[in-house]
């Protein structure tokens, strides 16, 4: 096997070497690590909120927390996980990896990159400061009007929600612009768009989606702020405003947001699966094309969140059809990944374990998504725990499993050390068991009629056992993350040295040291195929002869 | 390698320093300024004032660093013994396997064109429609009945229709039914085209019998969710027959097409 035989211990990890300069850094790698660490902190907080929610629902008629605190908890849990965990974590990996993958020295706009990170960090902090200012937001992560109007939400908690998300949203938009520009203009010689790694493809379209989807949400947030602070009536139904307008604007952002979180996860899987199957990705072009198709269709499905608000049959049918349709390109990707695994020399190491976990969990989430795209069934289960189970299978089973694969895959690149495989396996199996035990029973509770967002329930409903299973699963999940955090800590301190290319991988980030120098590459690499490292390691059988 | 690529590689190889942006707190200060500006709206306007001051100061510093020669500095490369070494070949894995295209793909070397799958799906869909219409005539419910049942998947209002109403012509249902039928048929055909060459022997058996029975089983389980109206009214023997006819027809179209070499990656 070909290796980069540079001894990793010769290079101090930037974490230790450059600690004082974190606040002023413009290095995309440090900024990527900042994103990742900050989002991990938010993940711990959001996870704690989820545990309290599950503890509250452990028994009927529980009074562990009151209804108002419960509202704050589920609002902050949803807001945190979407805006301050999954998205920034993916941006962290994108920031770290994209310049390396395309053979660039940095992002196109390094200062804007740092600005984006700080906006995210301060936006999240501002949202959480509400806890100190009388109470956290309690209107759900969707903040439906007119519940969010001043008449129904008289304290400042909703203002904190709006302002915090606006601040972090500015950073997110800047990141999107930076990502797209970097990928379009800073690729190494020879790296055409048809040769960039699929993770880069996905991040590019992620940026495009963000640029289209986020501004309407920001506009809606400003309109809501005007309603609340200056007496405008955009969403005030008592004064001629429209509550549905909020829903349209919010979900015009909110549904593409699902794919904004899913596309980079697809990209991660598209990098991990081929390397650990020892095969070229099956159907590179179709995976890339499916990304574009998903991006386009995802902008036209938002109203499937609104089947129950009383739209016309024709609108219901159009959005239902579009929602069904999006399963096609997503299915194409699933087939591509499975075809890549099929017949491969599979190495079931931790990144691959999580990738396979992703495939199974995301498939279940996708299937229940197809069910929800059918208007009649949506009418039956809308706003029930069925929906809660579904979207957790998509976002946790999809995005977070893929993100975990990314941690195990690229941690050696970031630190020069391998994560412990033994702890990783504990993490994976506990997470898989805990995840399914938490979220699968929610489907059944939902079908039995349990509405989402209720803070307690009576014993005669038949929901107790399903809630208790979910709570036990949540505890298991928490334990699994303890293994993960412990693994990150001990492996970073004294993990086994990884060398520069521990997985015998094929993309450019593995061509430099682990961790890379500030400027990434002494020489800008010249690319002739989609697997430049394969070409270097196997000059007798290079890929470019086959492309 | 073209001339610009060569120049770039040569340029990189001959230098021991590189210009990189200098570290700066400007982005941090600007973002803190914006955040305080916003936070002041819900706490104290003095905070907004502080935020505005930070924003202006930070922006001024940021802009000044964009002037020529101000925002970059020379960085020395890391010592030579700490750089990534040239990638060396220690070839073990590759020698133990056959070289070339098949080894790297491990999928059939020849496949049916994707377009054949779509074509097979559409032809199969037409054959299936004939069976469905025949059912309408034989059962005495008329040819619009199966079309309306299919459209009920997307038209919630049809869930409240009586059997007699479902036998009537409905233009919206016809259009929707056609769209659903065409898309599903073509998409399933595409999967046929992709999958059939990977299945062991007897593709018509797989495509015409086994696959339709498998997906009919799946549909049987999901029908109540996907299309409650059809679920309550479907005639299962006819339904299975139509699926088998679809599978056999689409499979035949696919397997009779000429295979083409899979494009190498």
């Amino acid at each position: 096997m070909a290796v980069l035989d540079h001894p990793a211990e010769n290079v101090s990890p930037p974490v230790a070497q450059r600690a004082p300069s974190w606040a002023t850094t413009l290095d995309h790698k440090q900024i990527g690590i900042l994103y990742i660490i900050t989002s991990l902190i938010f993940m711990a907080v959001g996870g704690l909120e989820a545990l309290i929610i599950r503890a509250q629902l452990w028994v009927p008629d529980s009074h562990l927390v009151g209804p108002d605190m419960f509202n704050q908890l589920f609002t902050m849990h949803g807001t945190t996980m979407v805006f301050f965990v999954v998205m920034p974590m993916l941006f962290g990996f994108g920031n770290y990896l994209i310049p390396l993958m395309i053979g660039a020295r940095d992002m196109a706009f390094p200062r804007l990159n740092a600005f984006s990170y700080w906006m995210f960090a301060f936006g999240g902090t501002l949202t959480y400061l509400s806890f100190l200012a009388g109470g956290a937001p309690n209107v759900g992560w969707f903040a439906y009007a007119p519940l969010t109007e001043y008449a129904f939400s008289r304290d400042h908690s909703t203002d904190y929600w709006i302002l915090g998300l606006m601040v972090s949203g500015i950073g997110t938009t800047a990141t999107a612009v930076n990502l797209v520009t970097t990928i379009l203009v800073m690729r190494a010689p020879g790296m055409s768009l048809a040769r960039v790694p699929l993770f880069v493809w996905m991040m590019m379209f992620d940026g495009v989606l963000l640029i289209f989807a986020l501004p309407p949400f920001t506009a809606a947030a400003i309109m809501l702020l005007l309603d609340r602070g200056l007496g405008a009536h955009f969403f005030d139904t008592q004064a001629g405003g429209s509550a549905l307008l909020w829903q349209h604007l919010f979900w015009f952002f909110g549904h593409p947001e699902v794919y904004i979180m899913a596309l980079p996860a697809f990209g991660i899987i598209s990098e991990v699966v081929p390397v650990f199957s020892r095969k070229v990705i099956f159907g590179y072009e179709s995976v890339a094309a499916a990304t574009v198709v998903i991006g386009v269709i995802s902008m036209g499905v938002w109203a499937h969140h609104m089947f129950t608000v009383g739209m016309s049959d024709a609108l219901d049918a159009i959005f239902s059809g579009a929602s069904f349709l999006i399963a096609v390109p997503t299915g194409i990707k699933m087939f591509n990944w499975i075809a890549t695994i099929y017949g491969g020399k599979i190495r079931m190491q931790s990144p691959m374990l999580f990738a396979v976990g992703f495939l199974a969990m995301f498939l279940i989430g996708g299937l229940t998504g197809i069910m929800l795209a059918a208007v009649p069934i949506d009418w039956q289960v809308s706003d029930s725990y069925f929906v809660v189970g579904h979207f957790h299978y998509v976002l946790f089973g999809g995005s977070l499993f893929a993100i975990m694969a990314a941690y195990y895959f690229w941690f050696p690149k970031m630190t020069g050390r391998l994560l412990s495989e033994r702890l990783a396996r504990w993490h994976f199996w506990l997470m898989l068991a805990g995840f399914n035990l938490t979220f699968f029973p929610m489907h059944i509770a939902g079908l039995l009629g349990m509405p989402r967002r209720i803070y307690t329930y009576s014993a005669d409903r038949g929901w107790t056992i399903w809630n208790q299973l979910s709570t036990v699963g949540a505890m298991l999940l928490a334990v699994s993350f303890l293994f993960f955090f412990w693994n990150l800590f001990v492996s970073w301190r004294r993990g086994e040295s990884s060398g520069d290319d521990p997985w015998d991988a094929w993309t450019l980030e593995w061509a430099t040291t682990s961790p890379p120098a500030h400027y990434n590459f002494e020489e800008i690499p010249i690319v002739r195929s989609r697997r430049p490292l394969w070409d270097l390691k196997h000059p007798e059988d290079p890929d470019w002869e086959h492309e | 390698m073209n001339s610009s690529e060569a120049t770039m590689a040569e340029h990189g190889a001959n230098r021991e320093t590189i210009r990189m942006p200098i570290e700066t707190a400007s982005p941090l200060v600007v973002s803190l300024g914006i955040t305080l500006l916003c936070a002041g709206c819900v706490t104290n306007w003095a905070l907004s004032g502080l935020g505005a001051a930070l924003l202006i100061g930070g922006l001024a510093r940021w802009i000044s660093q964009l002037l020529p020669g101000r925002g970059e500095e020379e960085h020395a490369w890391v010592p030579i013994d700490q750089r990534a070494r040239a990638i060396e070949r220690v070839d073990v894995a590759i020698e133990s396997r056959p070289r070339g295209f098949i080894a790297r793909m491990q999928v059939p070397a020849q496949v049916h064109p994707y377009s054949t799958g779509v074509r097979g799906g559409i032809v199969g869909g037409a054959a299936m429609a004939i069976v469905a219409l025949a059912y309408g005539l034989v059962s005495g419910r008329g040819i619009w009945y199966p079309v309306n049942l299919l459209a009920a998947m997307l038209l919630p209002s049809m869930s409240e229709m009586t059997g007699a109403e479902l036998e009537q012509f409905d233009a919206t249902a016809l259009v929707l039914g056609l769209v659903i039928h065409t898309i599903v048929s073509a998409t399933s055909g595409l999967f046929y085209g992709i999958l059939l060459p990977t299945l062991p022997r007897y593709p018509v058996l797989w495509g015409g019998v086994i696959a339709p029975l498998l997906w009919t089983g799946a549909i049987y389980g999901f029908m109540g969710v996907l299309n409650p109206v059809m679920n309550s009214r479907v005639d299962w023997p006819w339904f299975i027959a139509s699926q088998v006819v679809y599978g056999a027809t689409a499979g035949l179209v696919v397997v009779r097409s000429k295979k083409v070499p899979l494009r190498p990656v």
Side-chain angles (χ1 to χ4, degrees), chain B residues 56-112:
Chain B
I56 293 167
L59 264 182
R61 175 87 179 133
W62 187 330
I63 292 166
S64 75
Q65 287 172 337
L66 295 177
L67 296 173
R70 298 281 295 277
E72 291 187 332
E73 62 186 3
E74 290 289 332
H75 273 258
W77 285 3
V78 294
I80 200 154
D81 62 324
Q82 292 183 16
R83 294 179 200 165
R85 291 186 189 164
I87 293 167
E88 295 168 10
R89 251 190 72 217
V90 187
D91 201 341
V92 177
I94 195 167
E95 286 180 357
S96 63
R97 59 181 202 171
R99 296 256 309 267
F101 170 68
I102 294 298
R104 51 182 74 224
M105 296 301 291
Q106 299 195 19
V107 293
Q110 291 203 313
V111 296
H112 299 288

Side-chain angles (χ1 to χ4, degrees), chain B residues 2 23 37 101 104 132 194 226 237-238 242 254:
Chain B
N2 63 37
E23 293 180 351
L37 199 61
F101 170 68
R104 51 182 74 224
I194 295 169
L226 285 174
W238 276 91
S242 68
V254 170

Side-chain angles (χ1 to χ4, degrees), chain A residues 36 40 407 411 419 423 483-493:
Chain A
I36 288 169
L40 280 175
Y407 273 105
F411 184 86
L419 282 163
L423 290 173
F483 277 94
F484 172 61
F485 281 111
W486 178 244
N487 198 355
L488 287 181
F489 179 71
V490 295
S491 299
W492 172 60
R493 296 292 298 274

